[in-house]
Amino acid sequence: PQPGENVLILVDMPHESLTDHEAWRERRQMAEDWKLGFEALANKMEFNVYPIMTYAATGAHNGPLPDIGEMDGTEIAFDDIFAESHIVVAMTEYSATAPLIEYARKFPHLRVASMPGVSPAMQDTALAVDHEKMAERCNLIDEKLSDAIAARVLFVTGHQMYFDLHHRHPEVDDGMLHQDTSGLGVINLPSGETFIAPYEGEIEDQPSETHGIIPLQCGVTRALIHVSENRV
């Protein structure tokens, strides 16, 4: 957070058929703890922390958010609060990443951390990593994938898969989302991912070269998935 910015923590709430449970309650308490942490930091760095905003849980990962949430017992429109916010931390039961991406496109000043399913235990594990070292690792993999035309996977069973990476570019989610970061202002936390999708053969007369065998263990049974031209 930078001086003068506004920070908002977002949580979803159980209702009707969406039964509350211990992990969900722990996450809401974690949100309260993080708000206190932001407030302590705000006293030193001169930014503002809003009261926690709640909304009725969607019941589905990446389902559309409601238009209205609640803050300190008062209804407030998502559009209104996001227009004034700079950092949004969504500590939710159901992932809100997809709709938050749409809000980030609508309000380019937003920096959003989506944290579905986050738990207090992650504060000592996945959230406690050295993010600079993690970013270095992600960027190293990004460099390798950027120059690659394929990836070959050797399974411990001896089976192999060849993934065609023509016409594809890797994406990086390295947990870095500073004020001057370019591109879409949304990350997942915990972070630490460099990913790429295989070419699917959508260009005429250029079939996908993805082929091989994927072993799938089902209890004591092993199924072998045979792939040719990116199709099972």
Side-chain angles (χ1 to χ4, degrees):
Q2 299 299 306
E5 290 191 323
N6 297 318
V7 175
L8 174 69
I9 294 179
L10 195 63
V11 299
D12 54 357
M13 302 295 290
H15 60 97
E16 299 172 353
S17 61
L18 301 179
T19 306
D20 202 1
H21 53 81
E22 183 178 357
W24 201 346
R25 287 189 291 270
E26 288 181 346
R27 188 173 307 113
R28 297 199 298 273
Q29 180 58 54
M30 183 178 173
E32 296 281 356
D33 295 340
W34 277 44
K35 177 176 176 290
L36 293 176
F38 272 120
E39 288 174 342
L41 193 61
N43 290 332
K44 302 175 183 178
M45 298 181 62
E46 298 181 346
F47 61 88
N48 177 59
V49 183
Y50 287 125
I52 291 176
M53 182 174 178
T54 64
Y55 66 93
T58 62
H61 292 303
N62 295 311
L65 296 175
D67 295 330
I68 301 294
E70 191 172 290
M71 184 183 291
D72 266 356
T74 302
E75 288 189 345
I76 187 167
F78 274 82
D79 273 7
D80 292 343
I81 191 64
F82 281 4
E84 300 295 328
S85 300
H86 299 87
I87 293 176
V88 175
V89 180
M91 305 173 75
T92 57
E93 173 76 3
Y94 296 95
S95 176
T97 302
L100 288 172
I101 287 173
E102 295 307 311
Y103 276 111
R105 290 193 174 114
K106 187 174 184 179
F107 302 109
H109 61 274
L110 277 181
R111 306 202 298 285
V112 179
S114 183
M115 305 176 68
V118 69
S119 70
M122 292 182 186
Q123 295 175 132
D124 299 320
T125 54
L127 291 169
V129 300
D130 184 324
H131 278 74
E132 291 189 0
K133 289 184 178 179
M134 183 178 69
E136 289 177 3
R137 181 187 174 102
C138 287
N139 291 327
L140 176 62
I141 298 172
D142 178 40
E143 291 175 9
K144 292 183 179 296
L145 289 176
S146 295
D147 295 331
I149 61 170
R152 191 183 305 276
V153 177
L154 174 64
F155 295 96
V156 293
T157 59
H159 300 98
Q160 292 191 43
M161 270 296 299
Y162 178 96
F163 291 97
D164 185 349
L165 301 182
H166 285 99
H167 314 296
R168 293 293 187 261
H169 301 283
E171 300 286 345
V172 176
D173 184 358
D174 61 6
M176 296 294 179
L177 192 54
H178 298 166
Q179 194 180 50
D180 59 354
T181 301
S182 61
L184 189 63
V186 179
I187 59 171
N188 288 303
L189 284 179
S191 297
E193 180 180 19
T194 302
F195 56 95
I196 193 168
Y199 170 60
E200 296 183 348
E202 66 271 16
I203 300 174
E204 188 174 359
D205 297 326
Q206 292 188 39
S208 172
E209 296 177 18
T210 295
H211 66 278
I213 297 176
I214 300 174
L216 179 64
Q217 198 71 26
C218 308
V220 296
T221 303
R222 178 180 298 155
L224 298 180
I225 301 173
H226 293 254
V227 179
S228 176
E229 295 187 1
N230 200 53
R231 295 178 178 274
V232 174

